Amino acid sequence: MADQRVAARYAKSLLDLAQEMGTLATMKQDMDLLANTMAGSRDLRLLLRNPIVKHDKKLSILTAIFQGKVSDTLMRFFQILTSKNREAALEHIGTEFRSQYNALLGVQVAEVTSASPLTPATRAEVEKLVKQQTGLPDVSLTEKVDPSLIGGFVLRVGDRQIDDSVKGNLRRLRTSLTDNTYQHSLN
């Protein structure tokens, strides 16, 4: 939890700096690369959390991984983080930056899971639904296919979830049937 708060503060600082320097798009690409690298490498996350590994060694590893792939601003940011013993926060900084970037630009991130791939008309309807729910002008929709849903969809917008799948309806029906609310009454 503490790393999450620290990550939010560092992400905000990076976002403000990138806006001030006019390099917001470049920083977004760098942070996407950072977030994807952190999500894809358990070993790197464990190394950055390890208190036994010295800070200069962690910095040299980050430099070896990201040198030439990210901007000089982010490389200097790595130096600041390692000097302040905050390498473990890197795991969350990329994701936090993405969410703050999307909030800044008024983009709502949503995820829809359906039994089959969405048609363009259905995709437009889902985007319209998300825009109505959030009031934001733009939607970034991620699609997933899960045949076990049988039909319908599950829509996640922020911390809210709309489950309108056949599987979800069957689960709710089963729960209501197993609920022993029947009361026998003779009149």
Side-chain angles (χ1 to χ4, degrees):
M1 187 63 158
D3 280 345
Q4 196 73 21
R5 265 187 262 143
V6 168
R9 289 180 181 153
Y10 277 114
K12 176 74 172 132
S13 297
L14 274 174
L15 188 69
D16 292 344
L17 179 65
Q19 272 186 298
E20 187 178 304
M21 294 174 58
T23 59
L24 196 56
T26 305
M27 187 59 72
K28 169 74 166 84
Q29 290 174 347
D30 291 350
M31 297 311 283
D32 284 343
L33 177 64
L34 175 67
N36 293 337
T37 304
M38 288 295 169
S41 177
R42 180 177 183 271
D43 291 337
L44 181 60
R45 290 191 311 266
L46 291 174
L47 173 93
L48 292 174
R49 280 190 233 138
N50 191 338
I52 296 171
V53 179
K54 297 203 181 309
H55 305 296
D56 57 340
K57 183 68 173 170
K58 291 178 184 179
L59 179 60
S60 66
I61 290 170
L62 288 170
T63 303
I65 293 172
F66 292 105
Q67 187 71 45
K69 298 176 185 165
V70 297
S71 64
D72 290 337
T73 306
L74 190 57
M75 294 307 295
R76 286 191 303 263
F77 178 71
F78 290 154
Q79 292 172 350
I80 292 169
L81 275 180
T82 54
S83 70
K84 296 193 179 288
N85 191 20
R86 296 290 193 176
E87 304 91 358
L90 269 174
E91 180 178 342
H92 304 291
I93 290 175
T95 330
E96 224 12 82
F97 184 90
R98 284 179 179 171
S99 64
Q100 290 182 17
Y101 177 84
N102 287 333
L104 177 72
L105 296 181
V107 176
Q108 178 61 56
V109 177
E111 177 184 296
V112 64
T113 307
S114 60
S116 60
L118 296 178
T119 64
T122 309
R123 182 178 172 79
E125 277 296 314
V126 171
E127 286 178 354
K128 181 180 169 187
L129 175 68
V130 172
K131 286 177 186 177
Q132 287 174 347
Q133 292 288 320
T134 61
L136 292 175
D138 201 10
V139 175
S140 173
L141 192 63
T142 306
E143 296 180 39
K144 290 184 178 178
V145 176
D146 181 6
S148 73
L149 292 179
I150 304 169
F153 64 91
V154 177
L155 177 64
R156 287 194 180 113
V157 180
D159 61 350
R160 292 179 291 166
Q161 177 174 309
I162 301 170
D163 186 352
D164 194 27
S165 65
V166 174
K167 181 180 178 180
N169 289 336
L170 289 173
R171 185 178 56 248
R172 285 188 290 278
L173 179 62
R174 180 178 57 231
T175 303
S176 70
L177 289 175
T178 58
D179 185 17
N180 240 348
T181 57
Y182 175 73
Q183 295 177 356
H184 181 70
S185 64
L186 295 173
N187 290 336

